[in-house]
Amino acid sequence: MKILVCIKQVPDMESRFKPDASGVWFAETDLAFRVNEYDEYAVEQAVLLKEQLGGEPEVTVLSVGADRVVEAIKKGLSMGGDRGVHVQDAAAHLKDSWQVASIIAAYAVGEGFDLILTGLQSQDRGSAQVGVTIAELLDYACATTAVGFEYADGTVTVKRELEGGVKGTVRLKTPAVVTCQLGLNQPRYPTLPNIMKAKKKEVRVIPVAELLHQEQRVAPVEFRAPARKGSAVVLEGELADQVDRLIGILKDKTAVLR
Amino acid sequence: MKFLLIGECREGKLLEYSYELFGFASQAGAETAMLLVGEEGTLPGYGGTVYLADAGKYGEYNPDLHKRLVQAVVERERPDYVVFMHTSYGWDLAPRVAALLKAPQVSEVVALAEGGGFERPCLSQKMRQVVKPQGTPVVLTLQGGAFPALVPGGTPQVQPVDAAGEGKVEFLGYEAAARKGVDLTKAEVIVSVGRGVGKKENIPVIAELARVLGGEVGASRPVVDSGWMDAGNQVGVTGQTVSPKLYVACGISGAIQHLAGMKKSGFIVAINKDKDAPIAGVADVLVVADVMQFVPALTAKLVK
Ligand SMILES: Cc1cc2nc3c(=O)[nH]c(=O)nc-3n(C[C@H](O)[C@H](O)[C@H](O)COP(=O)(O)OP(=O)(O)OC[C@H]3O[C@@H](n4cnc5c(N)ncnc54)[C@H](O)[C@@H]3O)c2cc1C
Ligand SMILES: Nc1ncnc2c1ncn2[C@@H]1O[C@H](COP(=O)(O)O)[C@@H](O)[C@H]1O
């Protein structure tokens, strides 16, 4: 069995974001990067399945992006992935979701993966398109928003999370794509020995030009902070003072404190 | 300009948020038609054309067939835009439709921008991006709550629609939401724990503030997913919807899915070290501080 996990490296969401020179995306200076949260669930699910099947499946961890994404691939390998694929593209952020999906599909088409796991969405772009589009391009079955995953004999049973806490159970046959939702499992922390082992695992580098054959369909034109809707009173400064001011406001504005 | 709106049915009912599609179309000043995989009893209060595919035959969830149904209606109506809600149904089906139609797709639209662009959130809703799709038709998904629900009124002209083929995904059934744990909907005060609280061991400090304020403890989703608190405490689209007199968000960034569950609260206090956290957009007071320093100090002062 061959499993592909697609992971994206995204900036730490607690950072401050400013437009870059293009004006259509964020500047990377001073940002820390990590693995997209949703994709950690995808890696964990692949590794859990590998363990369930006695180590037989081969797990490939792929990321499209600038050289920094190798760090994310290494994290996937230290969680239990077998080999990495880095589709090298310093301008990945300017591709639209359709192009990213086409790039990944162009890689995957000859590889015969039985199962492709992605995140439900990336935290930076958040289009929730790439996984499903890969499935369409490869003509694979696809289930999104997985909070439950079971595999037996070429059949995947996925519990999909719907609105209001309702779930829907679906069954699909491999080859299949499953997009992973938060809470699907408990992503493991890589251990030191596994981090060391990961350093020796193969990471194949493919220049994006070899895989990109599609034109952009959606062009980014602007990037900015949202218009501040709220009118929050912002309390900054010294702790004791903040406490007093908040208590004053609560007494004034709510019936909760007397 | 013509919009094809894709309504949603679940367990034999039209989902209320489908009316936000009409709100969006009216804001854009577009002509409309709707496609619904449902039954006679699920028709919207709308005087236009509703293409109705039989949910008994096609299933409420069967994306490979539903995309063909959309395609069949697109061929008849030739819309400029095919519009879904950004929901578990919409984000699942829209990319399949876009792939089939070779159409551009813009996800989670929150506003119309000048010159045919669309505004959408990015970076966990901290920032906004404006994008311009190239070519028609364009597939859109709308963020829930971004456009007002609008019931146009009237009785639809129903047109049956059919599609052939097999689905690759077999739907086995629904599972109702687990209703256990605390009923936060009746609480007058809720103090909620977010990931910014740092670790499970810190939760008693937050719970103590809730106790002193005579309230209950809520949680954001990652706190539940990491096993720090029970699912019954979760606030948000996939948790409870609450409207206490006072909601205190401790180390919660304010993702749209969390806000959906608490933004109607009477008074909202957010404690966050990040002044730009999106929670500031709904908060009445934003305390810029380390939650684990501020909360114990606040509790101590309240007890005095
Ligand atoms: C389909 C779907 C459904 C979802 N349903 C829900 C739902 O029902 N409810 C829900 O909550 N989420 C839901 N989510 C997840 C949601 O998108 C966010 O990921 C989640 O709400 C983030 O939780 P958080 O704010 O606790 O964590 P984070 O986003 O990680 O934010 C932590 C915050 O704490 C602050 N912080 C960090 N350290 C400190 C400190 N020491 N002192 C003060 N502040 C600090 C940070 O600045 C940050 O703002 C859903 C997501 C999807 C895709
Ligand atoms: N540059 C990328 N490299 C690898 N995987 C990606 C990339 N972008 C998106 N993905 C995958 O597609 C999922 C959905 O992303 P998105 O459509 O951007 O919301 C992510 O969770 C990843 O699994």
Side-chain angles (χ1 to χ4, degrees):
Chain A
M1 182 175 201
K2 286 179 75 177
I3 305 174
L4 176 68
V5 190
C6 302
I7 64 173
K8 186 173 190 186
Q9 197 192 38
V10 297
D12 189 327
M13 293 301 147
E14 289 172 23
S15 325
R16 299 203 78 160
F17 298 104
K18 288 185 286 272
D20 65 4
S22 74
V24 300
W25 203 230
F26 58 88
E28 295 201 357
T29 25
D30 301 329
L31 295 186
F33 284 84
R34 51 188 302 272
V35 176
N36 180 41
E37 193 174 350
Y38 296 79
D39 304 347
E40 290 191 356
Y41 293 96
V43 176
E44 178 64 27
Q45 201 57 55
V47 175
L48 286 174
L49 181 55
K50 182 181 164 90
E51 288 168 353
Q52 177 197 328
L53 299 178
E56 182 273 320
E58 186 193 47
V59 177
T60 302
V61 178
L62 171 145
S63 188
V64 182
D67 286 342
R68 58 170 163 74
V69 311
V70 173
E71 276 312 306
I73 295 171
K74 293 271 185 209
K75 167 101 190 261
L77 297 178
S78 62
M79 286 173 74
D82 297 297
R83 47 199 283 276
V85 173
H86 173 205
V87 179
Q88 203 171 31
D89 183 8
H93 60 287
L94 296 173
K95 309 277 187 298
D96 65 3
S97 306
W98 156 250
Q99 287 175 304
V100 175
S102 325
I103 290 165
I104 297 173
Y107 161 74
V109 74
E111 294 284 325
F113 291 107
D114 303 281
L115 182 65
I116 300 181
L117 295 170
T118 73
L120 165 66
Q121 58 185 11
S122 55
Q123 289 172 282
D124 55 355
R125 170 136 52 194
S127 80
Q129 291 179 25
V130 170
V132 186
T133 309
I134 294 171
E136 291 298 305
L137 288 168
L138 297 174
D139 201 21
Y140 280 24
C142 173
T144 59
T145 335
V147 289
F149 178 101
E150 280 170 44
Y151 173 87
D153 307 321
T155 300
V156 186
T157 308
V158 169
K159 212 177 260 187
R160 299 188 64 230
E161 184 181 60
L162 315 177
E163 288 65 31
V166 180
K167 298 188 176 91
T169 307
V170 298
R171 193 155 58 196
L172 51 168
K173 292 221 167 354
T174 56
V177 174
V178 175
T179 81
C180 303
Q181 164 67 320
L182 305 169
L184 171 62
N185 48 43
Q186 296 278 352
R188 67 194 68 194
Y189 293 103
T191 59
L192 193 58
N194 285 342
I195 293 173
M196 299 314 289
K197 260 193 248 162
K199 289 198 194 314
K200 298 201 191 79
K201 292 178 182 169
E202 177 210 345
V203 179
R204 184 178 156 204
V205 179
I206 308 176
V208 70
E210 287 179 23
L211 299 171
L212 177 67
H213 313 296
Q214 297 294 330
E215 297 287 330
Q216 189 181 59
R217 290 177 176 173
V218 177
V221 293
E222 204 186 322
F223 177 82
R224 56 176 166 76
R228 271 258 178 266
K229 257 187 276 162
S231 49
V233 175
V234 180
L235 301 183
E236 289 180 280
E238 262 211 79
L239 193 69
D241 183 44
Q242 286 176 308
V243 169
D244 290 341
R245 285 162 70 198
L246 178 59
I247 291 177
I249 294 171
L250 291 179
K251 280 192 174 143
D252 249 19
K253 299 278 166 87
T254 74
V256 173
L257 292 188
R258 267 168 293 262
Chain B
M1 200 170 31
K2 195 191 271 175
F3 286 9
L4 173 62
L5 312 176
I6 313 296
E8 273 181 56
C9 289
R10 188 172 303 149
E11 298 183 273
K13 290 199 188 73
L14 177 72
L15 292 177
E16 272 306 303
Y17 53 60
S18 299
Y19 286 106
E20 293 176 27
L21 297 164
F22 293 111
F24 173 68
S26 129
Q27 230 178 66
E31 272 180 69
T32 54
M34 182 172 259
L35 164 65
L36 200 62
V37 185
E39 305 150 27
E40 286 289 339
T42 58
L43 292 171
Y46 162 61
T49 305
V50 172
Y51 290 88
L52 187 67
D54 181 6
K57 185 167 168 197
Y58 297 104
E60 290 180 340
Y61 178 78
N62 189 339
D64 301 304
L65 282 188
H66 288 201
K67 81 178 175 197
R68 304 250 169 241
L69 292 166
V70 177
Q71 183 188 36
V73 178
V74 165
E75 277 164 12
R76 279 202 249 172
E77 286 285 325
R78 302 262 157 228
D80 303 282
Y81 292 88
V82 182
V83 194
F84 298 80
M85 291 304 296
H86 194 67
T87 54
S88 61
Y89 180 79
W91 68 57
D92 184 281
L93 185 55
R96 308 187 201 240
V97 169
L100 189 61
L101 302 177
K102 302 192 184 337
Q105 182 190 341
V106 181
S107 302
E108 214 182 347
V109 171
V110 294
L112 295 157
E114 303 282 293
F118 295 95
E119 187 177 328
R120 58 179 307 275
C122 55
L123 294 150
S124 293
Q125 321 340 258
K126 258 183 127 165
M127 302 297 285
R128 290 277 187 276
Q129 181 188 29
V130 177
V131 299
K132 235 182 194 170
Q134 289 151 350
T136 50
V138 174
V139 174
L140 302 176
T141 66
L142 309 183
Q143 184 180 80
F147 300 93
L150 174 82
V151 184
T155 309
Q157 286 108 44
V158 177
Q159 297 270 351
V161 56
D162 282 287
E166 287 272 301
K168 292 199 195 77
V169 185
E170 183 191 354
F171 180 70
L172 301 179
Y174 293 108
E175 191 181 298
R179 289 267 174 263
K180 60 172 165 81
V182 280
D183 183 3
L184 296 175
T185 61
K186 301 212 167 59
E188 296 211 334
V189 176
I190 296 172
V191 181
S192 277
V193 180
R195 181 150 49 191
V197 163
K199 53 182 181 208
K200 189 174 183 175
E201 292 67 35
N202 288 342
I203 290 177
V205 174
I206 310 296
E208 178 60 11
L209 175 61
R211 196 189 63 77
V212 167
L213 290 170
E216 300 283 356
V217 185
S220 72
R221 179 170 182 143
V223 166
V224 171
D225 288 341
S226 324
W228 298 359
M229 285 185 82
D230 288 339
N233 295 77
Q234 186 178 311
V235 173
V237 262
T238 44
Q240 301 191 46
T241 303
V242 301
S243 51
K245 288 191 179 137
L246 173 64
Y247 189 90
V248 185
C250 301
I252 294 180
S253 59
I256 185 80
Q257 295 91 355
H258 189 81
L259 300 188
M262 49 63 76
K263 67 179 176 205
K264 298 221 168 79
S265 303
F267 199 82
I268 299 172
V269 175
I271 303 154
N272 201 303
K273 64 175 188 190
D274 178 6
K275 199 176 163 179
D276 297 330
I279 190 90
V282 300
D284 295 288
V285 179
L286 172 68
V287 181
V288 185
D290 184 324
V291 67
M292 290 314 297
Q293 288 176 1
F294 182 79
V295 168
L298 175 63
T299 309
K301 194 73 188 240
L302 288 171
V303 173
K304 255 198 238 159

